[in-house]
Amino acid sequence: MFNQRIKNSCNEKHQKGLLRHTHEFSLAGNRIKDQKSTQNYINFSSNDYLGLRQSKQLKKFHHQGIEKYGFASCGSPLVTGRHDAHADLENTLCDWLGYPSAILYSSGFAANQALILTLMQNKDLLLQDRLNHASLQEAGSLCSAKMQRFKHNDYTHLSALLDKESTQKAEGRLVVSEGVFSMDGDSAELPQLSQICKAKNAWLMLDDAHACGVLGNDGGGSCSMHNIHPDILVVTFGKAFAGNGAAILCSQELAQYLIQFSKHYIYSTAISPAQAYALNKTCTLIQNAHQEREKLRRLSECLSEHLDASIPLVSTQTPIKPILVGESEQTVKISQLIAQEGFWLSAIRPPTVPINSARLRLTLNASHTEEQVQALALAINKAFDKVKGG
Ligand SMILES: *Cc1c(COP(=O)(O)O)cnc(C)c1O
């Protein structure tokens, strides 16, 4: 039975042109090498927005962390896995991002699941932006509260849902949005969203995975840029921080509740103290990364300048630059042609994005040069000409 089901499901994906492939990459600078083809690409699909992954400073922080703590934590935080490095990182995040408490999790996926599954109970209502990350959507379907999804960034729709009589009866109401949406690179209208939640007595949870480090003068992300303060803020270290793990920032009371009840915290190995040490130092680096953030703005202009006007590039204020193609197979074809020119630009297909909105998700990072971006733009123009033109 299982074998049959597995085979059928994979065949179906294949027929729809949606089969996913793994690659083994080796990395150097902003280049990646596919071990199978041994071809070398400039990576335009990484979330390393500030280009820190290969920075000398980050490597030094990690070496120092390992010297000081060894590698792993070898325990959950409530047993023996929590070190002073974890506490230091939590304190730094609190000071920087303006919250009384921060709790570390081993990944953003775990943090989102932990918060929603621990907080939401069966008389509550969870309202999510339709384009929220899979970790949030999945937690929403697994939790015992009722979940409804509002149209992307459509706060008239959200308000209408919050005004419904059945909603009024809900005990707790939680609204969840991303600060910057990972596949679209657009931002939530945060002042408006924050105001609606306050007015309608709902808590706001913001997942700022793609904005922390990138937006705001101090790299503090969407909240720092828009001067808002959601009840719950999630930041992840897998993107601009070039590390692993995540943190939930919140009130002392909620933090205490999570420590008591969130299984992802209690029953999971704490992130490595060496990593916590390095991340703590990275926070300072990121707060001062003004040049990198400026560079991203320049690269963004450079990209728009050199792409043909006919390329369906979505204009964004972030380093995420989606090129909306629509049809999945065509998107893969274009991505392959661009790869032949030496650029890695992943095709993103349903179900990661809505049907008929397959896209190339181009991400800029501060270690790219203007020459590289210009050359990429020419490769994109050429690939589109070939696929769309002929
Ligand atoms: C990447 C991402 C996550 C998951 O974080 P990991 O640390 O990679 O598990 C959660 N939310 C959003 C919006 C993300 O982009």
Side-chain angles (χ1 to χ4, degrees), residues 107-110 112 133 135 178 180 182 207 209-210 236-239 245-246:
S107 72
F109 204 103
N112 283 339
H133 190 260
S135 54
E178 290 184 29
V180 165
S182 44
D207 176 344
H210 293 277
T236 72
F237 307 131
K239 275 101 191 189

Side-chain angles (χ1 to χ4, degrees), residues 224-246:
S224 145
M225 184 156 138
H226 296 285
N227 201 16
I228 60 140
H229 193 83
D231 302 277
I232 302 159
L233 173 67
V234 176
V235 296
T236 72
F237 307 131
K239 275 101 191 189
F241 288 76
N244 281 108

Side-chain angles (χ1 to χ4, degrees), residues 112-367:
N112 283 339
Q113 299 256 312
L115 189 284
I116 290 177
L117 293 174
T118 313
L119 185 65
M120 301 309 286
Q121 299 188 357
N122 64 7
K123 296 213 171 97
D124 299 337
L125 182 75
L126 172 63
L127 293 169
Q128 296 216 47
D129 189 291
R130 189 177 279 172
L131 294 190
N132 277 355
H133 190 260
S135 54
L136 295 163
Q137 305 281 359
E138 192 187 65
S141 351
L142 294 174
C143 76
S144 31
K146 179 173 165 196
M147 174 170 73
Q148 289 187 311
R149 302 198 291 173
F150 56 93
K151 290 184 207 143
H152 178 50
N153 281 350
D154 182 341
Y155 304 135
T156 313
H157 188 205
L158 171 65
S159 294
L161 291 174
L162 280 166
D163 285 338
K164 276 207 306 216
E165 212 181 297
S166 57
T167 311
Q168 305 286 344
K169 287 198 214 110
E171 284 183 359
R173 290 121 57 94
L174 179 68
V175 174
V176 188
S177 176
E178 290 184 29
V180 165
F181 286 83
S182 44
M183 294 301 142
D184 293 72
D186 60 342
S187 299
E189 301 288 337
L190 287 168
Q192 200 192 345
L193 179 60
S194 170
Q195 203 182 2
I196 290 171
C197 292
K198 283 209 177 83
K200 309 219 183 256
N201 199 20
W203 269 13
L204 174 61
M205 168 181 179
L206 194 73
D207 176 344
D208 219 19
H210 293 277
C212 195
V214 177
L215 297 184
N217 280 336
D218 61 347
S222 306
C223 302
S224 145
M225 184 156 138
H226 296 285
N227 201 16
I228 60 140
H229 193 83
D231 302 277
I232 302 159
L233 173 67
V234 176
V235 296
T236 72
F237 307 131
K239 275 101 191 189
F241 288 76
N244 281 108
I248 296 180
L249 289 116
C250 58
S251 68
Q252 274 174 358
E253 293 77 11
L254 177 54
Q256 187 53 233
Y257 176 77
L258 289 170
I259 291 170
Q260 303 309 320
F261 295 103
S262 99
K263 300 196 169 65
H264 296 75
Y265 187 73
I266 305 170
Y267 299 107
S268 189
T269 302
I271 63 169
S272 114
Q275 167 108 245
Y277 174 91
L279 285 166
N280 189 20
K281 301 245 166 193
T282 306
C283 287
T284 313
L285 199 71
I286 288 182
Q287 288 170 66
N288 296 319
H290 306 295
Q291 280 179 357
E292 283 76 4
R293 287 187 280 274
E294 180 51 39
K295 173 101 179 277
L296 283 171
R297 280 185 279 275
R298 278 211 315 279
L299 293 176
S300 173
E301 280 166 21
C302 174
L303 178 72
S304 319
E305 260 169 43
H306 289 97
L307 279 181
D308 286 345
S310 61
I311 303 292
L313 173 78
V314 181
S315 153
T316 66
Q317 305 291 318
T318 67
I320 305 172
K321 305 288 176 194
I323 298 177
L324 282 178
V325 183
E327 208 267 320
S328 291
E329 264 175 79
Q330 230 175 31
T331 312
V332 173
K333 186 92 222 285
I334 293 172
S335 155
Q336 284 166 349
L337 286 170
I338 295 170
Q340 283 169 17
E341 304 283 323
F343 302 96
W344 193 270
L345 192 48
S346 296
I348 309 281
R349 296 165 289 170
T352 306
V353 292
I355 292 172
N356 295 327
S357 74
R359 67 198 63 185
L360 302 164
R361 179 178 178 270
L362 193 170
T363 53
L364 297 169
N365 88 47
S367 71

Side-chain angles (χ1 to χ4, degrees), residues 6-7 38 40-41 46-47 81 88 97 132 207 214 223 249 275 300 323 331 377 385-386:
I6 289 163
K7 204 167 138 199
T38 70
N40 202 317
Y41 309 93
S46 152
N47 294 324
D88 291 345
L97 303 171
N132 277 355
D207 176 344
V214 177
C223 302
L249 289 116
Q275 167 108 245
S300 173
I323 298 177
T331 312
D385 271 352
K386 196 153 175 190

